[in-house]
Amino acid sequence: MYKSTSLFVIFLSLFVVSEAVFEDQVGKFDWRQQYVGKTLFAHFDSHSQTSKKLFLATDKNIFASFNSRTGDLFWRHVDKAGPEGAIDILLLHGQDALMVVGDGRLLRSWDTNMGGLNWEAVLDTGSFQAACFVAIQDTVKHLAVLKNAAISLHYLTNGHQKWVENLPDRDTVQYQAVYSGGEEEIYVLGVVPNSHLTIIAYSLEDGEIIKQRSVEAPWLSSVESSCVVVGQGMLMCVDPGTLALYTLPIQSLDLEVSPGFQPVLVSSQPHPARSPISEFFLQLGPHHHVLLQLNGDGYTIAPLRDFQPAFLVSFATTGEKTVAAVMTPKNETVSVQKVNNSCFFFFFKNMSQSYLKSKCMCSYSVLLSDVFPPQLYVHAFLKKDDSVGYRVLVQTQDHALTFIQQPGTHTDTGTYTQTLERTHRHWNVHTDTGTYTQTLERTHRHWNVHTDTGTYTQTLERTHRHWNACKPKNTIPTVKHGGGSIMLWGCFAAGGTGLFGIDSKSGSILWKHYLENVQPNAVFKLIVQRTTAHFPHPPQCTLLIKDKDTGLASLHVFNPIFGRKSHIALPVLPRPILQSLLLPVIDQDYAKVLLLVDDQYKVTAFPSTKNVLQQLQEMASSIFFYLVRSDQGNLSGFRLRKDLSTERIWEVVLPTDVQKIVAVNGKRPNEHVHSQGRVMGDRSVLYKYLNPNLLAVVTESTDTHPERAFVGMFLVDGVTGRIIHEAVQRKARGPVHFVHSENWVVVSSSCCKATVVVVVEATVVVVVEATVVVVVEATVVVVVEATHHIYLYRNSKYFFLKVGLPSGAILSLPKMFLDPRRPEVVTEHSREENLIPYAPEMPIRTEWFINYNQTVLRVKGIYTAPSGLESTCLVVAYGLDIYQTRVYPSKQFDVLKDDYDYVLISSVLFALFFATMISKRLAQVKLLNRAWR
Amino acid sequence: MWLQVRLSEVCLFLQAMFTLACCFSDMESGPIATSGSVQPNGDRFKIEGRAIVPGVKTQDWISSARVTVEGEEYIGFLRTDGSFVVNDVPSGSYVVEVISPGYKFEAVRVDITSKGKMRARLVNFIKTSEVIRQPYPLQLRSSGPHTYFMKRETWGWTDFLMNPMVMMMVLPLLIIVLLPKVVNTNDPEMRKEMEQSMNMLNPNPELPDVSEFMTKLFSGSKSSSSKAVGGSKASGRPAVKRR
């Protein structure tokens, strides 16, 4: 029986209005941008002269290879998110990239050419401290990994362990560095903070301790941050307390450290088989570096040059030549806040005689106040004429990478690498921008920026009439406080740093705006107050920024088309904001009114003109909002009073010791109800329970035991607080994703080794004397792949679900499969209603992947918005990457087909035209002939 | 229909596989138990296997592929020869998948006992306890590239001609044009035969033709009747009658 039904489902699914991409549509309406995150380690491929590769390890646990000329991604490997996949170190040797992952959990070797793994070895437990290559007689064969309790030596060819030794006195000594200078010994440096320094020399052959000595160093607290190895195995340490460098007092060099700054040493070991170079940098202040040289006798240090101001320093070596790169500002004009940064390069021939040659090699400009560059990577290579060429990679504070090549060409490799992940707590997309004129033109035709107010109030009235005769009130759907942010189409709210306006057509950045004084943990909400539909008035967006700790909020009002900040007077918000709601009320300038509720339940309106306040007073009795306190398990409803204070009208308490509220979702403000019900097989009508105030509340159990865990779902009326329905999915646990639209809630959770989707549909069965009996039907469907995210979108006719799969695919799922009324046995009625028989398993077909092979990894959200064209919907999926496309759930019925044959139609037209001309002529001749006869 | 046949075939094949697997299961569990792949750090195990895309060089697809165990719980990467190891997996039951945007791979469920005994079986989300053994270390063979795209309808002469509407138009046309030529109407025998068949078709020769009746009704005159008959000359039948 099951087999036959599933067969039937498969058979039917072939005929379902499936939404797939045609091959010739690839890249036509969609674009994808791939990101990697903030760079932690970067290496140039120095294996061959002409190599264009660049290797990055990032804080998103990604190891990626870029084309250094164009910034294109060759490949990237995305490891598990979180500390288990964190990259501790990235070392490059020839073609192999060595990586320690997950705090010393795994050691991986990658073939950088193919992008595949050479080998992977499991390391012993213990937290990772340091790693270095070990060379004997100019060939690098081993890698030494230092952990807090042991040191191990691994072969580079297969990752096998040569030996592992426990470190002596590991309870007291903190081992922090490992060093090998090409001899038969490996040195491990440990420190007992503020007491002494321990140096242990291990034999390369068998791991025996050859020497062990300890040096009194009461001033030393950490080897990692304050010591480097310079020259012929000399350890150079800087003491921030007494301002001493090694044993030489720092003052003897006439240097001064900025107050409160921890001096930092920078040195370089070009090849593991050789000693580090004897020149090194000492950073004395945030913008102050000194280049020093350790003399041949090993005891005297000579300053070579003082750089002030200098932002960044770095060393690079090719062959016998070593280059020190210093980034210094060229000219600074504070008023414009634009700073020209230039790179000065100094090179000095190896070790012995240090002749300095310095010139400004290249310059590039950057907005310094916004993006201070925190990291610099330099790669030097020998050109054919034996001169030195450079490639420079600069990482700026917004985590963008800029690649500079010597002739001065520089390419941006992903200008907003970071902004994407950190920010997108929620950004949403609403309307289409482009240029202003374009939008104006499109408003009428293609991309109709929807004007919510009209249609929205309409919906309210309609639903109101339908379901709710006894309570002549309507609430405004609201979002949980500290919730998401809605974004104008093409704008990306970026966490902490910036706001981007992105062209929906190409994905290029139209404008960016850095926000000042935003805490990294702030939450955002983007509100479209005025669309482009009101011509003389520019469109207006408001970004509500809320500090998560203090709850204090600030508003940032801007024009979404150009990104310009508007000069509207902003309300003062002295109290923490709990909730914000956008009303369908508009002021005389057609801007929608935003209400902000503070922690004393006082309401602030923005804009708060006289007109608005008057309207609010009139409407006050019908404005409701709700607040969620998930820490107290409290959901409460409020009503607005005429004096803009509020009163609590209901409260639902879900005991926090059993379950916690995960998410609350109301009706989306831009949702339009197109049909009131559906016709059943027996010609009766099944009405939807269209309550615009319906809240769906999803809870998770606090007990995480797989047998006792559950996921709960409540449907709560936002006006009365009545719980209309409650459902519990046993043995289920998070992460829970859900969608709430009209009378329909879909909750996905993982349960019993699979992902389970619960569909709940509320329908009105009897309406007698203004009493409404709500019947809720529910069904359970098992989805084969674990779902990440479920998002709903709809166009005029069809509901479709967008599901982000962990494989990176975005699935477009017809609602037909998630119908709680799917019967187990097919009857005449159900066939007439187009119901497919129930099957517990959900088919997933690759044709339903709207992003074909353009995978979007770690999907955080999918946002859909209807476009002005009835058949078309815009979809944006974001996570690690951004993917944007258009979808046509019911085919492009209002647009000519992509492959419409203009040649054929016009040739047929011309042929017909000529045929009529010719036949007319022939008819004339015939008539003439007949007349002559 | 072919789908059903195909599916039943697949079912049969699977059953055969299952019985085969049952036969060999005892033999299989032997070496696995001994190989045991217990790792130094206690109760953590590794899942080993190999992914093959027939006819494609490994370097063309491994850089975009990865191995996921139970969603993204554990992740492994493919070696340059297509083999993979997912390290650090505690005992339990996991769905192992090779995810590649280019090629399709079947998922496999791997069970690891607390002693490190490994078993691979087909994934069944409905009946999670059903066991259909698969080889371990895993041998995952790609069943070809993903089909992401729908085929565009192309315009071809055969499609056009095979269209039922076109057939409906063309066939009568052929009959009208060709039949009089094929059938020799001048042959008296043939004519007789045809006349007979016409009479057969028209069971009651006395009953007037509907169209004739109608025209008679409206015009009422005899001349118009003959005109009407003449009008339907093209059909060939009245022409025969008239003679």
Side-chain angles (χ1 to χ4, degrees):
Chain A
M1 180 60 216
Y2 163 64
K3 209 165 266 175
S4 69
T5 32
S6 69
L7 212 125
F8 186 65
V9 168
I10 291 168
F11 188 67
L12 250 173
S13 67
L14 293 172
F15 294 100
V16 166
V17 200
S18 62
E19 185 201 325
V21 187
F22 293 109
E23 196 153 7
D24 51 283
Q25 284 180 329
V26 165
K28 205 169 171 186
F29 306 120
D30 61 319
W31 48 265
R32 176 178 67 158
Q33 289 172 341
Q34 287 186 301
Y35 296 98
V36 292
K38 178 192 170 190
T39 310
L40 298 178
F41 305 98
H43 286 280
F44 287 90
D45 185 11
S46 51
H47 185 63
S48 70
Q49 195 66 250
T50 52
S51 177
K52 288 183 277 188
K53 280 183 188 146
L54 186 68
F55 304 107
L56 301 179
T58 68
D59 66 337
K60 296 282 159 200
N61 309 346
I62 293 167
F63 176 46
S65 170
F66 280 92
N67 183 337
S68 60
R69 306 280 156 79
T70 60
D72 293 338
L73 195 67
F74 282 127
W75 46 258
R76 64 171 184 185
H77 288 289
V78 183
D79 205 343
K80 195 181 167 182
E84 270 185 73
I87 298 167
D88 297 323
I89 196 165
L90 174 71
L91 297 165
L92 198 68
H93 173 252
Q95 284 222 342
D96 298 342
L98 274 291
M99 216 160 85
V100 179
V101 178
D103 199 18
R105 197 168 59 93
L106 297 169
L107 179 64
R108 283 192 186 129
S109 168
W110 297 93
D111 185 321
T112 55
N113 221 8
M114 280 168 67
L117 199 65
N118 283 327
W119 47 260
E120 184 177 279
V122 183
L123 298 176
D124 294 347
T125 48
S127 79
F128 174 81
Q129 296 294 334
C132 79
F133 285 122
V134 180
I136 338 167
Q137 282 122 31
D138 272 13
T139 50
V140 183
K141 280 184 179 162
H142 302 100
L143 179 80
V145 178
L146 180 73
K147 295 203 164 190
N148 58 358
I151 177 168
S152 56
L153 199 69
H154 297 263
Y155 291 102
L156 283 187
T157 46
N158 53 12
H160 288 212
Q161 210 169 53
K162 190 173 182 184
W163 49 260
V164 58
E165 288 295 322
N166 283 331
L167 297 165
D169 307 325
R170 56 180 178 272
D171 300 331
T172 50
V173 185
Q174 295 171 9
Y175 292 96
Q176 287 175 333
V178 60
Y179 161 73
S180 160
E183 303 100 21
E184 299 275 303
E185 291 164 349
I186 302 165
Y187 299 93
V188 174
L189 306 178
V191 66
V192 179
N194 306 322
S195 167
H196 63 271
L197 182 74
T198 308
I199 304 167
I200 307 170
Y202 282 94
S203 159
L204 186 65
E205 279 309 306
D206 48 6
E208 251 181 79
I209 296 177
I210 300 171
K211 277 181 285 185
Q212 183 174 5
R213 46 175 313 201
S214 79
V215 181
E216 284 295 312
W219 40 268
L220 189 66
S221 58
S222 166
V223 177
E224 231 174 352
S225 61
S226 52
C227 289
V228 290
V229 180
V230 174
Q232 300 288 334
M234 301 297 289
L235 184 71
M236 190 65 66
C237 293
V238 62
D239 169 22
T242 59
L243 303 177
L245 185 65
Y246 196 40
T247 48
L248 297 167
I250 206 163
Q251 275 88 352
S252 68
L253 299 171
D254 295 327
L255 302 174
E256 271 184 39
V257 175
S258 321
F261 184 77
Q262 162 94 30
V264 178
L265 285 167
V266 180
S267 80
S268 155
Q269 183 180 19
H271 193 266
R274 265 166 258 137
S275 309
I277 53 169
S278 54
E279 288 80 10
F280 60 96
F281 276 108
L282 174 63
Q283 190 181 4
L284 295 165
H287 295 164
H288 186 196
H289 292 80
V290 183
L291 183 66
L292 301 169
Q293 189 187 32
L294 184 73
N295 288 344
D297 58 4
Y299 294 103
T300 51
I301 293 169
L304 292 179
R305 191 165 169 152
D306 195 349
F307 297 101
Q308 190 177 22
F311 297 134
L312 295 166
V313 291
S314 179
F315 284 103
T317 303
T318 176
E320 291 295 294
K321 285 178 177 162
T322 301
V323 175
V326 180
M327 185 192 238
T328 55
K330 212 160 138 196
N331 43 17
E332 207 164 337
T333 39
V334 184
S335 57
V336 198
Q337 286 196 322
K338 178 130 184 165
V339 174
N340 266 326
N341 281 1
S342 56
C343 298
F344 284 98
F345 290 94
F346 294 83
F347 39 105
F348 37 93
K349 264 227 167 103
N350 210 6
M351 321 297 171
S352 53
Q353 82 276 38
S354 63
Y355 71 88
L356 289 171
K357 181 170 143 195
S358 73
K359 60 178 176 184
C360 176
M361 296 311 296
C362 50
S363 65
Y364 85 108
S365 61
V366 63
L367 271 169
L368 198 70
S369 60
D370 293 336
V371 283
F372 176 71
Q375 245 170 326
L376 175 70
Y377 303 94
V378 181
H379 176 233
F381 58 93
L382 277 178
K383 285 198 269 191
K384 279 177 193 142
D385 57 348
D386 218 33
S387 62
V388 184
Y390 319 96
R391 287 166 195 152
V392 182
L393 193 66
V394 183
Q395 188 185 3
T396 44
Q397 219 161 25
D398 58 351
H399 304 176
L401 292 169
T402 308
F403 180 79
I404 307 162
Q405 193 139 5
Q406 196 194 5
T409 55
H410 73 99
T411 16
D412 274 332
T413 63
T415 328
Y416 46 107
T417 323
Q418 129 312 153
T419 358
L420 314 168
E421 325 91 333
R422 220 213 291 169
T423 62
H424 294 147
R425 305 206 36 95
H426 293 271
W427 55 261
N428 295 337
V429 182
H430 242 259
T431 44
D432 180 88
T433 61
T435 59
Y436 192 50
T437 45
Q438 247 178 334
T439 326
L440 279 176
E441 181 242 320
R442 282 184 195 161
T443 311
H444 302 292
R445 223 183 72 68
H446 194 106
W447 292 107
N448 194 1
V449 186
H450 45 267
T451 47
D452 283 1
T453 39
T455 37
Y456 181 59
T457 41
Q458 225 177 6
T459 337
L460 276 179
E461 273 165 33
R462 212 190 316 159
T463 43
H464 172 85
R465 189 174 59 226
H466 178 69
W467 67 273
N468 193 342
C470 56
K471 298 175 210 74
K473 285 150 195 163
N474 22 14
T475 52
I476 303 310
T478 50
V479 187
K480 194 177 120 190
H481 73 279
S485 67
I486 304 163
M487 193 71 205
L488 212 85
W489 177 240
C491 308
F492 291 72
T497 46
L499 191 66
F500 293 92
I502 290 177
D503 186 3
S504 66
K505 245 182 171 173
S506 60
S508 59
I509 300 175
L510 297 172
W511 51 265
K512 53 183 167 183
H513 190 88
Y514 289 93
L515 301 168
E516 283 160 30
N517 305 325
V518 177
Q519 299 301 314
N521 61 351
V523 285
F524 300 91
K525 182 173 176 174
L526 233 153
I527 300 135
V528 184
Q529 282 197 300
R530 184 166 53 220
T531 61
T532 47
H534 312 281
F535 170 56
H537 303 286
Q540 182 183 329
C541 263
T542 304
L543 183 68
L544 180 65
I545 307 160
K546 186 182 154 187
D547 193 311
K548 219 171 185 180
D549 296 332
T550 60
L552 291 173
S554 60
L555 290 174
H556 178 84
V557 184
F558 62 97
N559 177 344
I561 308 292
F562 301 111
R564 276 198 295 265
K565 199 172 172 177
S566 87
H567 301 288
I568 297 174
L570 296 173
V572 187
L573 304 167
R575 311 247 8 132
I577 296 298
L578 298 181
Q579 174 73 287
S580 71
L581 49 150
L582 190 69
L583 299 185
V585 178
I586 51 169
D587 70 350
Q588 68 272 26
D589 290 338
Y590 303 102
K592 277 186 218 166
V593 177
L594 179 71
L595 291 190
L596 299 166
V597 185
D598 64 18
D599 65 341
Q600 290 180 333
Y601 310 118
K602 282 267 180 340
V603 173
T604 314
F606 169 72
S608 58
T609 55
K610 219 177 196 178
N611 179 351
V612 169
L613 292 177
Q614 196 184 342
Q615 283 190 61
L616 278 180
Q617 274 189 359
E618 285 165 15
M619 279 186 70
S621 61
S622 65
I623 294 174
F624 296 81
F625 62 95
Y626 70 93
L627 291 177
V628 184
R629 298 237 164 194
S630 59
D631 53 331
Q632 296 164 13
N634 183 324
L635 182 70
S636 44
F638 291 82
R639 185 218 305 246
L640 193 70
R641 287 212 195 110
K642 282 200 190 315
D643 57 345
L644 293 188
S645 64
T646 55
E647 68 178 312
R648 185 192 300 249
I649 45 175
W650 56 266
E651 190 173 30
V652 174
V653 179
L654 301 165
T656 45
D657 50 334
V658 182
Q659 56 192 347
K660 60 175 190 289
I661 297 173
V662 182
V664 179
N665 211 337
K667 183 184 175 295
R668 296 205 300 196
N670 60 350
E671 184 179 286
H672 301 179
V673 179
H674 288 276
S675 69
Q676 299 289 323
R678 66 193 279 179
V679 181
M680 311 263 282
D682 58 359
R683 300 289 176 274
S684 64
V685 178
L686 187 70
Y687 286 102
K688 293 174 183 171
Y689 178 66
L690 293 168
N691 181 348
N693 316 313
L694 192 68
L695 304 175
V697 183
V698 171
T699 61
E700 258 181 71
S701 63
T702 42
D703 192 347
T704 50
H705 188 275
E707 285 298 312
R708 294 188 294 270
F710 66 87
V711 168
M713 202 270 301
F714 300 87
L715 295 179
V716 181
D717 188 310
V719 172
T720 58
R722 186 164 72 103
I723 294 176
I724 288 157
H725 181 70
E726 55 188 304
V728 166
Q729 175 70 29
R730 294 200 187 283
K731 295 184 190 175
R733 62 198 150 81
V736 181
H737 301 290
F738 81 113
V739 156
H740 170 208
S741 171
E742 293 190 355
N743 61 333
W744 196 58
V745 181
V746 181
V747 184
S748 90
S749 55
S750 59
C751 164
C752 332
K753 299 174 184 173
T755 298
V756 164
V757 173
V758 182
V759 187
V760 170
E761 197 177 53
T763 46
V764 179
V765 166
V766 200
V767 187
V768 189
E769 301 285 318
T771 43
V772 179
V773 178
V774 181
V775 171
V776 177
E777 288 181 90
T779 192
V780 176
V781 185
V782 176
V783 177
V784 178
E785 262 186 284
T787 48
H788 249 196
H789 263 272
I790 291 195
Y791 273 83
L792 180 90
Y793 87 88
R794 53 174 297 171
N795 77 340
S796 56
K797 281 186 180 168
Y798 298 97
F799 276 100
F800 270 76
L801 278 179
K802 287 275 165 281
V803 181
L805 300 178
S807 62
I810 299 162
L811 182 75
S812 173
L813 197 64
K815 195 205 167 189
M816 195 182 251
F817 287 100
L818 293 173
D819 195 325
R821 302 184 60 252
R822 280 169 70 177
E824 280 188 36
V825 183
V826 190
T827 60
E828 194 62 37
H829 284 259
S830 64
R831 200 167 291 156
E832 262 182 60
E833 286 176 55
N834 260 338
L835 293 175
I836 43 176
Y838 178 76
E841 207 166 347
M842 175 83 70
I844 288 181
R845 289 155 52 91
T846 45
E847 284 93 335
W848 294 346
F849 292 172
I850 53 166
N851 60 340
Y852 46 106
N853 63 0
Q854 306 282 300
T855 51
V856 182
L857 293 177
R858 295 187 194 154
V859 175
K860 279 184 187 154
I862 301 168
Y863 189 80
T864 57
S867 79
L869 208 58
E870 202 186 0
S871 66
T872 314
C873 248
L874 305 170
V875 180
V876 169
Y878 57 93
L880 197 58
D881 312 321
I882 303 175
Y883 180 78
Q884 194 270 337
T885 190
R886 296 181 202 169
V887 287
Y888 313 95
S890 39
K891 304 271 162 59
Q892 290 166 282
F893 56 80
D894 45 5
V895 189
L896 283 181
K897 271 190 198 165
D898 284 333
D899 60 345
Y900 188 75
D901 204 336
Y902 293 96
V903 179
L904 185 81
I905 197 90
S906 46
S907 59
V908 164
L909 205 71
F910 276 113
L912 281 175
F913 178 70
F914 284 116
T916 30
M917 297 298 281
I918 291 162
S919 55
K920 191 182 172 191
R921 175 81 194 132
L922 288 177
Q924 274 176 352
V925 171
K926 200 177 176 185
L927 277 176
L928 195 67
N929 285 343
R930 194 180 286 170
W932 274 108
R933 208 181 284 161
Chain B
M1 198 54 215
W2 66 271
L3 194 84
Q4 274 190 354
V5 173
R6 192 66 187 272
L7 264 164
S8 61
E9 265 177 28
V10 168
C11 288
L12 257 171
F13 177 66
L14 280 180
Q15 269 183 355
M17 284 283 284
F18 178 60
T19 45
L20 260 175
C22 286
C23 294
F24 285 108
S25 62
D26 287 341
M27 201 195 79
E28 245 177 6
S29 62
I32 288 166
T34 51
S35 72
S37 54
V38 182
Q39 287 182 359
N41 38 351
D43 51 352
R44 293 280 175 143
F45 309 98
K46 60 181 176 186
I47 299 170
E48 289 176 272
R50 192 184 166 89
I52 305 149
V53 182
V56 181
K57 277 189 219 152
T58 47
Q59 65 220 49
D60 295 340
W61 65 276
I62 50 163
S63 62
S64 59
R66 58 182 186 158
V67 183
T68 59
V69 177
E70 203 68 16
E72 281 192 332
E73 204 87 343
Y74 306 96
I75 288 176
F77 297 99
L78 290 150
R79 291 209 197 107
T80 43
D81 61 347
S83 62
F84 62 87
V85 174
V86 184
N87 282 302
D88 252 10
V89 184
S91 59
S93 175
Y94 305 100
V95 177
V96 179
E97 279 175 286
V98 174
I99 290 175
S100 160
Y103 300 95
K104 234 187 297 189
F105 289 94
E106 285 287 310
V108 177
R109 186 177 285 282
V110 173
D111 302 321
I112 309 172
T113 62
S114 55
K115 284 178 184 158
K117 222 171 141 178
M118 315 286 276
R119 179 177 74 173
R121 56 190 170 106
L122 280 186
V123 178
N124 189 339
F125 282 102
I126 308 299
K127 284 187 227 158
T128 43
S129 54
E130 192 187 33
V131 179
I132 300 169
R133 290 294 277 267
Q134 297 281 92
Y136 186 87
L138 304 170
Q139 291 287 328
L140 302 169
R141 185 172 273 273
S142 166
S143 52
H146 283 299
T147 48
Y148 291 118
F149 303 112
M150 283 199 306
K151 276 247 169 72
R152 273 244 188 252
E153 286 172 23
T154 47
W155 198 85
W157 280 107
T158 48
D159 293 345
F160 176 72
L161 289 178
M162 288 311 182
N163 191 337
M165 293 304 282
V166 175
M167 300 254 277
M168 269 165 68
M169 272 167 59
V170 168
L171 273 180
L173 205 80
L174 282 179
I175 290 166
I176 290 162
V177 176
L178 291 182
L179 222 87
K181 291 193 177 160
V182 172
V183 183
N184 191 357
T185 41
N186 291 335
D187 188 8
E189 272 182 43
M190 181 64 92
R191 205 182 292 167
K192 211 175 221 175
E193 210 172 285
M194 276 175 80
E195 226 158 288
Q196 268 178 5
S197 67
M198 283 300 154
N199 289 341
M200 289 262 286
L201 273 176
N202 207 355
N204 193 356
E206 304 307 312
L207 203 77
D209 204 33
V210 181
S211 57
E212 271 175 53
F213 176 75
M214 290 301 271
T215 41
K216 263 183 201 161
L217 198 81
F218 284 113
S219 59
S221 70
K222 205 137 196 166
S223 63
S224 68
S225 154
S226 72
K227 206 171 154 193
V229 170
S232 55
K233 201 196 280 182
S235 70
R237 184 172 58 100
V240 173
K241 257 186 182 173
R242 203 163 52 169
R243 293 244 176 131

